[in-house]
Amino acid sequence: MKVDPILFDDFQPGVPMGEYEEVYDAQQAGRWQSIFGSSALEGANAAPEAASMAVVAMMRAYLHVVAPRPPGNVHARQQLQMHALPRLGESMRIAVACEGKEIRRERRYVDLGVRATGDGGRALFEGRISLIWAA
């Protein structure tokens, strides 16, 4: 495990950084439902709840794989393309890779790509997290 913070120079475009596994479980669903309402009511919230869990999983993958981070990074943008919604109880395997990096106006920009698969390897989502890296 890396002890020193990941620096801009450590990012290598096109190189996988690691994987993280997240289970969309009843506890997560319960937390979502405590804020937005129960999805048990004729499935009214099922799709928004599952899509929200995809975003949560993407961010948790970033936080676990790209660590430790130097203080002062800025999460500038994120994009998410859904292929299929995760199912309650499904394990999501999320791969994180550096897609690119550049210096613009004396700021260090890093783009991370994420790809998630569910049970049986079915494609769930692809995403991109754009950051201004502090060091």
Side-chain angles (χ1 to χ4, degrees), residues 25-91:
D25 61 18
Q27 185 177 17
Q28 288 182 337
R31 285 192 297 258
W32 192 92
Q33 292 167 16
S34 73
I35 298 169
F36 298 106
S38 174
S39 64
L41 301 173
E42 300 175 26
N45 291 331
E49 180 182 305
S52 295
M53 292 305 111
V55 174
V56 168
M58 178 175 78
M59 293 311 300
R60 285 187 178 159
Y62 157 66
L63 292 172
H64 281 87
V65 171
V66 185
R69 295 169 302 283
N73 295 333
V74 176
H75 183 140
R77 175 180 51 227
Q78 70 185 29
Q79 299 168 317
L80 187 67
Q81 179 183 12
M82 297 297 299
H83 299 294
L85 293 172
R87 299 177 190 124
L88 188 61
E90 184 169 29
S91 178

Side-chain angles (χ1 to χ4, degrees), residues 120-134:
R122 71 186 187 102
L124 295 176
F125 61 84
E126 295 177 43
R128 181 177 216 141
I129 301 169
S130 298
L131 305 145
I132 300 172
W133 207 255

